Amino acid sequence: MTHHPTQSPQFFLTAPSPCPYIEGQFERKVFTHLVGDKAPEMNDLLTQGGFRRSQNIAYRPACETCRACVSVRIIADEFKPSKNMKRILRRNADLIGAMHDAEPTTEQYSLFRTYLDARHRKGGMSDMTVLDYAMMVEDTHVDTKIIEYRRRGPDSFITGKGQGELIAVALTDKMADGLSMVYSYYNPELEDRSLGTFLILDHIARARAAGHPHVYLGYWVEGSRKMAYKVRFGPQEHLGPKGWDRFDTEAV
């Protein structure tokens, strides 16, 4: 077993590879391992500094000629949903999310595969096996949760769980100052529900209920259609050279 020191993390730099968001650009990432007893504390500090987590790795862009990737976090206690977002909340009022420890299931993987095949067939995750999925969920040394969304049952107010088929899943890190949405997926056939938006709205509600100020959404790339949805949730802050600055979402 490889031993990774926990007191002074080592950082590494990847080789250049084609950027998935901007044609003609090449991306590089700086990364470190999140392991040991100090991993949750380190994950908090790094996420607040613009890093993202993937399994036991924390990484952030370190591109030589581009600074397009911008870390985004929603100010949960100030968030006000738009009229369309309110409609989405009403449309999904029959769903309930049950949060539990990060443990993979065959039911999750089946939905995950359906989502990838419909939405990201040519993406970097398209060939993930059930073992790869299990590693994505389980390989964590921080406080990671799985939230499973199903339709409400008659006893949901007692159990806190839904019933029936699995409709959506969120892999989420609980942090000292909020929630970090690591990865989420859902039934792609239920387009009228706008489940991607609903999952973010649900995380904002969870953060606010817990008294946490932020929901971390990862990176936004201006001009990228894949990332455009992230700036619809305001007010929010973007990480710049001088720290986190309030961002005017209405200007986009």
Side-chain angles (χ1 to χ4, degrees):
M1 179 181 295
T2 302
H3 174 71
H4 299 289
T6 59
Q7 299 301 318
S8 54
Q10 292 181 297
F11 291 87
F12 307 91
L13 190 64
T14 65
S17 60
C19 176
Y21 303 112
I22 302 178
E23 187 175 354
Q25 290 285 358
F26 286 83
E27 68 170 359
R28 300 190 78 178
K29 294 183 177 118
V30 60
F31 69 94
T32 189
H33 294 89
L34 288 170
V35 293
D37 295 338
K38 298 292 185 181
E41 178 184 345
M42 183 62 62
N43 187 49
D44 281 8
L45 291 172
L46 291 175
T47 301
Q48 292 161 7
F51 280 72
R52 293 289 286 167
R53 185 185 70 80
S54 177
Q55 296 178 219
N56 66 1
I57 298 291
Y59 67 91
R60 67 169 296 172
C63 306
E64 297 175 356
T65 61
C66 180
R67 295 293 183 270
C69 291
V70 179
S71 294
V72 174
R73 68 185 186 188
I74 302 166
I75 305 175
D77 57 354
E78 295 184 36
F79 173 77
K80 291 182 174 58
S82 65
K83 290 182 180 179
N84 183 56
M85 290 175 183
K86 290 179 181 178
R87 285 193 291 269
I88 292 170
L89 286 171
R90 290 193 296 268
R91 200 175 301 147
N92 291 285
D94 62 331
L95 299 186
I96 187 169
M99 177 183 286
H100 52 79
D101 291 338
E103 297 178 355
T105 66
T106 54
E107 186 183 25
Q108 291 170 16
Y109 179 71
S110 177
L111 180 60
F112 176 71
R113 274 261 50 103
T114 299
Y115 174 78
L116 288 183
D117 292 343
R119 295 294 184 90
H120 302 287
R121 186 172 298 177
K122 296 181 180 180
M125 303 173 71
S126 59
D127 59 350
M128 285 181 64
T129 66
V130 65
L131 294 178
D132 295 327
Y133 175 79
M135 287 293 290
M136 182 178 80
V137 174
E138 290 181 323
D139 193 4
T140 175
H141 291 252
V142 305
D143 190 4
T144 303
K145 301 296 182 181
I146 280 276
I147 308 175
E148 293 186 339
Y149 296 84
R150 305 175 192 271
R151 288 184 173 87
R152 291 181 180 273
D155 61 347
S156 292
F157 71 100
I158 297 175
T159 65
K161 298 179 180 179
Q163 67 179 18
E165 66 174 323
L166 186 62
I167 290 176
V169 174
L171 183 66
T172 303
D173 287 346
K174 295 180 71 175
M175 299 168 47
D177 71 329
L179 300 175
S180 178
M181 297 185 70
V182 177
Y183 193 80
S184 58
Y185 56 93
Y186 46 85
N187 186 335
E189 295 182 358
L190 303 177
E191 292 187 14
D192 60 322
R193 285 183 175 269
S194 300
L195 288 167
T197 296
F198 170 71
L199 293 181
I200 296 175
L201 294 173
D202 183 67
H203 278 69
I204 295 171
R206 289 172 183 270
R208 181 181 290 173
H212 294 316
H214 302 125
V215 174
Y216 290 83
L217 291 185
Y219 302 117
W220 171 65
V221 179
E222 187 172 7
S224 170
R225 294 181 62 185
K226 295 179 182 179
M227 299 289 193
Y229 71 92
K230 294 187 178 183
V231 290
R232 299 206 316 264
F233 301 86
Q236 61 182 228
E237 295 176 324
H238 290 189
L239 184 60
K242 297 181 180 179
W244 290 95
D245 293 317
R246 200 175 183 96
F247 179 78
D248 183 8
T249 57
E250 294 182 359
V252 179

